[in-house]
Amino acid sequence: MNSLQAQLKQKTAQLAAVREISRAIAEAQDLNDTLDLITRRTTELMHVDSCTIYLYTPARDKLMLAASTGLNQAGVGHYSLPRGAGLTGWAAEQREIVAVPNAFADPRNYRILGSGESRFPSLLAMPLVNRDRVIGAANVQTTERHEFSQDEIELFGFITELAAAALEKAQLVHAALVQEMHHRVKNN
């Protein structure tokens, strides 16, 4: 019975944290603030060492590193994954979940030199899909080898669904602001 109570307590805490993420995401307007919030809270909630979000850029046909709690911050906005490359790129391309305890042994592994990802053997990656369109991909990683449980996979799936909707909203707000700024500059 003690194990059941512990599981119930853990699920209740996870639900409360997801509710908090959901509320905060709904209020976020700025794309960078939204990305930062999602990666920080996911890292805390899932007890992982890194959470990373890549956003798809159609003009370059790549996934660009947009935010991370564990990778080299200098790479944000600079590092990218070619279409379908690496475990995270593969998850986006195939629209499938990737969960591996040792990413280095997987033939789909793709290293971005200087990113700091060589510290993280375990990886769980999912596509970010909104309105049947891949807008990016997210992953969580651990410094110790870790078999992701079905509960962890479900929790991350729920977070990525929330994140995809929030990120698309934030991208639309950002695009509208940029368009308004261009319009003001043009008319002045």
Side-chain angles (χ1 to χ4, degrees):
M1 202 59 151
N2 205 9
S3 173
L4 199 54
Q5 288 174 329
Q7 283 180 321
L8 183 60
K9 186 176 179 178
Q10 180 184 16
K11 287 285 187 193
T12 302
Q14 287 176 343
L15 187 57
V18 167
R19 197 175 303 119
E20 179 189 340
I21 290 173
S22 179
R23 262 190 249 116
I25 286 174
E27 294 170 7
Q29 294 292 320
D30 179 73
L31 179 59
N32 291 328
D33 289 346
T34 303
L35 289 162
D36 182 57
L37 171 83
I38 294 166
T39 54
R40 272 187 308 98
R41 291 302 290 140
T42 301
T43 300
E44 294 165 8
L45 174 62
M46 295 196 62
H47 306 288
V48 294
D49 301 301
S50 178
C51 177
T52 301
I53 295 176
Y54 291 87
L55 293 179
Y56 180 65
T57 54
R60 295 179 68 193
D61 197 28
K62 292 183 177 196
L63 289 170
M64 292 298 297
L65 178 61
S68 181
T69 57
L71 299 186
N72 181 352
Q73 293 301 300
V76 173
H78 301 286
Y79 295 149
S80 64
L81 290 172
R83 185 183 192 114
L87 295 161
T88 302
W90 189 91
E93 181 78 12
Q94 301 299 318
R95 294 182 180 213
E96 290 189 23
I97 298 165
V98 173
V100 293
N102 184 4
F104 308 131
D106 194 294
R108 299 169 292 184
N109 189 41
Y110 179 90
R111 285 194 47 203
I112 300 173
L113 296 177
S115 68
E117 67 186 352
S118 61
R119 299 177 305 147
F120 306 108
S122 299
L123 177 135
L124 170 60
M126 292 188 183
L128 294 171
V129 179
N130 194 39
R131 296 186 206 156
D132 202 37
R133 197 171 58 87
V134 175
I135 63 166
N139 70 45
V140 291
Q141 296 174 285
T142 60
T143 55
E144 300 294 322
R145 286 190 185 180
H146 177 73
E147 285 277 350
F148 289 96
S149 69
Q150 192 58 44
D151 280 352
E152 290 170 316
I153 293 169
E154 284 180 30
L155 177 61
F156 192 51
F158 188 65
I159 291 168
T160 58
E161 286 175 24
L162 286 171
L167 290 170
E168 183 147 74
K169 174 186 160 196
Q171 285 176 318
L172 290 172
V173 169
H174 179 74
L177 290 172
V178 167
Q179 186 176 13
E180 183 179 330
M181 284 174 31
H182 285 303
H183 180 71
R184 286 183 181 184
V185 167
K186 183 180 171 184
N187 292 331
N188 283 334

